[in-house]
Amino acid sequence: MNPEILSSRIKAMKPSATIAMAQRARELSSKGVDVINLSLGEPDFHTPEHIKEGGIKGIKENYTSYPPIPGYLDLREAIASKLKRDNNLDYSAKQIVVSTGAKQSIANVMLCLLDPGDEVIVFTPYWVSYVSLIKLAEGKPVLVEGTIENKFKVDPRDFEKAIGPKTKAVIFSSPSNPTGTVYTKEELGEFASVIKKFPNLFVISDEIYEYINFLGEHSSIASFPEIKDQVVLVNGFSKGFAMTGWRVGYIAAAQELASACDKIQGQFTSATCSIAQRAALTAANSDLSETYKMRDAFRKRRDIVLELLNQIPGIKTYVPDGAFYIFPEIDHYFGKSKGDFTIKDSVDFCMYLLSDSHVSTVAGSAFGAPKCFRMSFAASEDQLKEAVKRISKSLSELS
């Protein structure tokens, strides 16, 4: 087939860098290479047994027909109860739309909000799919950067300066992928003070890592009543409940936008998997003891990785307060070589690590931060120690 017949839309879209690196790692592994894969954002824990039983119960109870497009009512009611219980937020079940993962939730929102040329401010570093989804909806991303010295947090003054006549929305995550940045209640309040000046500005708040927070209580920008109707809260079950393969995400939003997402989802995928929804219902109604065990394990792994990385010359770190990533600056190694291979940028840096040390990571350029690389610590302690040992050896051989 002639590739020229494909749409300009698909030709312009870049593949997901995280998925691409994971695929390369799997290809090497299939050839017998001992690869440590730290590229995907996926808990290495299995879904807790009681949640799996919820899915099995759904099968036995014959939840095998088409569900309502926005999700089963009892699941949406349970999510509304969770938002009240954990976040002190008041949403009705009608304001919640369940989708096939939080990525689809964000895609729905972009397609419902954006007209060609509308701008979306993106806090940078950003999750790889934000920019692609904005462009898919024919919008224009406007990047506002945070620095490693401030744990990559964006300055509210820089945010306000970026707002223009075509600005339709802003999107960010807290806790953040890829940096682990967590915005405090006070910091979110500063952004809320800016946002309330612009009543037509929407805030897409990605809170998928809510429960992997090492500071304590999670804060949502939706908790500021003066802007609550402008906030689209995005969350899901993948990270906090180790349910990545179940593919259940959701939004909570003002009724008009929730209804719009229901409408567009009805033409794309309809409802997400009925059995996955029953498992999600169990998760939403359960206590969080298993989730907190995973969070505590991630905190311990973070500390191990930080201690080891800080022993490697030229790697600049910080302390991530949530999620399960470290996002160090590594431009010290740009221009260095081994044999006939020279590291020119973060992509070369990660390819060098994959080929030389057999550790799979992701280039920072995919997240809008070309001096960095992302390393997941959602792996066993032994794997993490071995990975950093290999990285250290490979970097020491550059000149």
Side-chain angles (χ1 to χ4, degrees):
M1 186 186 79
N2 181 359
E4 292 304 312
I5 70 171
L6 296 175
S7 71
S8 57
R9 181 185 301 108
I10 193 63
K11 286 188 283 188
M13 180 179 285
K14 295 180 180 179
S16 168
T18 53
I19 294 173
M21 282 300 289
Q23 177 61 33
R24 290 191 182 101
R26 283 192 288 268
E27 289 170 359
L28 277 179
S29 296
S30 69
K31 297 175 182 177
V33 178
D34 179 21
V35 176
I36 300 176
N37 192 344
L38 305 180
S39 56
L40 278 182
E42 182 167 37
D44 64 321
F45 298 100
H46 295 301
T47 303
E49 289 299 321
H50 68 286
I51 297 174
K52 289 191 275 188
E53 288 298 324
I56 293 168
K57 182 182 178 185
I59 294 172
K60 291 181 176 179
E61 293 181 351
N62 293 312
Y63 280 89
T64 53
S65 302
Y66 289 130
I69 289 168
Y72 287 118
L73 178 59
D74 57 356
L75 174 57
R76 288 182 286 126
E77 289 174 338
I79 291 169
S81 295
K82 171 261 177 247
L83 291 171
K84 181 63 176 178
R85 178 193 71 210
D86 296 348
N87 311 106
N88 197 28
L89 296 173
D90 291 308
Y91 288 98
S92 70
K94 291 182 178 180
Q95 292 177 276
I96 292 163
V97 178
V98 177
S99 302
T100 306
K103 186 183 290 189
Q104 185 189 11
S105 296
I106 295 169
N108 286 346
V109 171
M110 294 299 181
L111 290 168
C112 288
L113 281 182
L114 301 183
D115 285 319
D118 283 345
E119 294 179 351
V120 180
I121 294 171
V122 183
F123 287 8
T124 306
Y126 52 78
W127 180 52
V128 292
S129 291
Y130 291 164
V131 165
S132 291
L133 293 175
I134 292 166
K135 291 179 178 178
L136 179 66
E138 298 185 78
K140 178 184 176 183
V142 176
L143 308 184
V144 180
E145 297 181 10
T147 65
I148 194 170
E149 289 77 14
N150 193 33
K151 296 188 178 182
F152 296 105
K153 293 180 179 181
V154 166
D155 188 314
R157 292 167 296 185
D158 294 335
F159 165 54
E160 185 166 8
K161 289 176 186 175
I163 299 172
K166 292 186 177 181
T167 305
K168 192 68 171 287
V170 56
I171 186 168
F172 68 97
S173 57
S174 178
S176 167
N177 177 2
T179 64
T181 296
V182 176
Y183 286 98
T184 66
K185 178 98 172 178
E186 292 73 24
E187 290 164 338
L188 292 172
E190 293 184 58
F191 290 115
S193 296
V194 174
I195 292 159
K196 71 179 180 180
K197 300 177 187 177
F198 303 91
N200 294 321
L201 176 65
F202 284 89
V203 185
I204 305 166
S205 179
D206 183 350
E207 303 180 21
I208 192 72
Y209 291 92
E210 171 185 1
Y211 294 126
I212 309 174
N213 183 334
F214 310 135
L215 292 180
E217 184 177 353
H218 171 75
S219 296
S220 172
I221 198 165
S223 64
F224 295 90
E226 64 270 28
I227 64 163
K228 181 171 177 278
D229 284 347
Q230 295 170 250
V231 176
V232 184
L233 189 157
V234 179
N235 208 325
F237 295 85
S238 292
K239 311 302 183 180
F241 298 97
M243 293 179 66
T244 52
W246 298 83
R247 309 306 302 131
V248 185
Y250 61 86
I251 65 161
Q255 186 59 63
E256 188 172 359
L257 183 54
S259 297
C261 288
D262 182 354
K263 179 180 179 181
I264 202 165
Q265 186 162 292
Q267 294 290 6
F268 268 83
T269 58
S270 293
T272 196
C273 170
S274 59
I275 306 308
Q277 288 193 56
R278 306 320 289 171
L281 176 65
T282 300
N285 287 332
S286 300
D287 72 72
L288 297 171
S289 56
E290 292 297 316
T291 292
Y292 291 148
K293 286 178 186 176
M294 290 186 275
R295 177 203 61 192
D296 293 343
F298 289 134
R299 181 195 290 115
K300 184 179 180 184
R301 295 172 187 183
R302 176 202 67 178
D303 295 342
I304 289 170
V305 168
L306 274 176
E307 181 181 0
L308 295 173
L309 284 178
N310 284 332
Q311 297 173 23
I312 303 176
I315 289 187
K316 185 176 181 180
T317 66
Y318 61 101
V319 180
D321 293 321
F324 37 66
Y325 310 104
I326 180 74
F327 198 67
E329 284 188 355
I330 39 82
D331 55 316
H332 168 83
Y333 291 96
F334 295 174
K336 295 187 181 294
S337 304
K338 180 178 179 181
D340 59 358
F341 184 81
T342 299
I343 296 174
K344 298 183 295 295
D345 52 29
S346 61
V347 173
D348 286 346
F349 180 89
C350 292
M351 292 306 297
Y352 172 70
L353 293 186
L354 182 59
S355 62
D356 195 79
S357 64
H358 302 145
V359 177
S360 175
T361 57
V362 188
S365 54
F367 306 92
K371 296 195 296 183
C372 300
F373 84 119
R374 192 190 77 173
M375 175 179 168
S376 168
F377 48 82
S380 71
E381 293 179 20
D382 288 342
Q383 281 186 311
L384 292 170
K385 291 174 183 177
E386 175 63 21
V388 181
K389 179 181 176 182
R390 293 184 190 181
I391 291 171
S392 179
K393 182 177 183 297
S394 291
L395 295 180
S396 71
E397 294 171 355
L398 293 167
S399 59

